[in-house]
Amino acid sequence: MSTSLIENLAFCASPAAGFLDDVLKGLSSASRSIPSKYFYDDIGSTLFDAICELDEYYPTRVESEIMHRYGDEIACRIGSNVRLVEYGSGSSIKTRILLDRLVDPCLYVPVDISNQHLTRTADALAKDYPTLSIAPVAADFTRPFELPKSEFDLCRSCVYFPGSTIGNFVQTEAIQLLADIAYRCEQGDGLLIGFDLRKDIDVLESAYNDRAGVTAAFNKNLLDRMNSELGANFDTLQFGHHAFFNDAAGRIEMHLVSQREQSVSIADHSFQFERNETICTEYSHKYSISEFEQMSAQVGWQCKETWCDERDYFAVMYLER
Ligand code: AVI
């Protein structure tokens, strides 16, 4: 494979920029929280890949099933010669299902916050898709970032946003993100997005409380990350993992729970924790198809088709601007 098809990594903002500010702000507020995007350092991204393999964690498996089953129809909807821009590309596993079916994609632009993960994934893809041009972008897509200029700028674009990551934003942020994507697109460009559907609470809660404890390790890795990158002194044994479905808000919530009264210092700040006090680390919203359609329509996206699995656990929706 000629590596020349992998364009230079485009850095538009340091993905780590703002970590300390966000942590200090989140821990200083009355209900403590840390944005879930900080899960994804190299270890966190690897743990997330392990979560995706778990029996209890259905979203990845079910989304892949949908992509395998309806991949030809989906590729047909997207059309030929597109520039495929993937938000939160991770290991690009589902992308391969799409790339295997798309007709003459002109450029693949994976965008991911984890630089090391991105580089590894782009290298592996380049080996398996020798004729595809790949232009990886290391960026936090919740902040402004530039797409690399290329000879393919005039191609139609399709933004691919799989994995139900949209669910990790509260509704106002999700709508803003859909608006940002629309702003990057021209009329007629597409958005292929995966989102998780509401379902039985036991199924939902098991997915975030796996027996092997991988999700707990993923959650607690955030403490290790604050210790190593911000010089914090969290005693990781003194925080537990708690995940539950908040029915009224339609979301799974993940928290780190202080096991005792304790004090933690970060930079020159000190934070006092009561026993059982929590830090909210993630929301994962579960939608209905009509809710999602309405949300997207508010910012100029028109739903063209939706594909689901047999149990209606997960949806993949194609929208056009
Ligand atoms: C990335 N995101 C869609 C996952 C989710 O299900 O909300 C993150 C995750 N958190 C715990 N398990 C998986």
Side-chain angles (χ1 to χ4, degrees), residues 12-29:
C12 305
S14 156
F19 186 25
L20 179 62
D21 289 350
D22 285 347
V23 165
L24 294 179
K25 187 168 161 227
L27 294 185
S28 304
S29 72

Side-chain angles (χ1 to χ4, degrees), residues 259-301:
Q259 303 297 296
R260 58 167 163 81
E261 203 182 305
Q262 55 186 317
S263 146
V264 174
S265 67
I266 307 175
D268 48 1
H269 298 254
S270 169
F271 298 95
Q272 191 63 31
F273 287 89
E274 302 299 323
R275 181 161 184 267
N276 292 332
E277 188 175 347
T278 79
I279 306 171
C280 179
T281 50
E282 186 175 67
Y283 290 150
S284 192
H285 292 83
K286 314 299 171 186
Y287 288 106
S288 71
I289 290 174
S290 58
E291 256 175 332
F292 200 85
E293 228 178 294
Q294 281 166 22
M295 248 167 58
S296 321
Q298 284 179 47
V299 289
W301 289 108

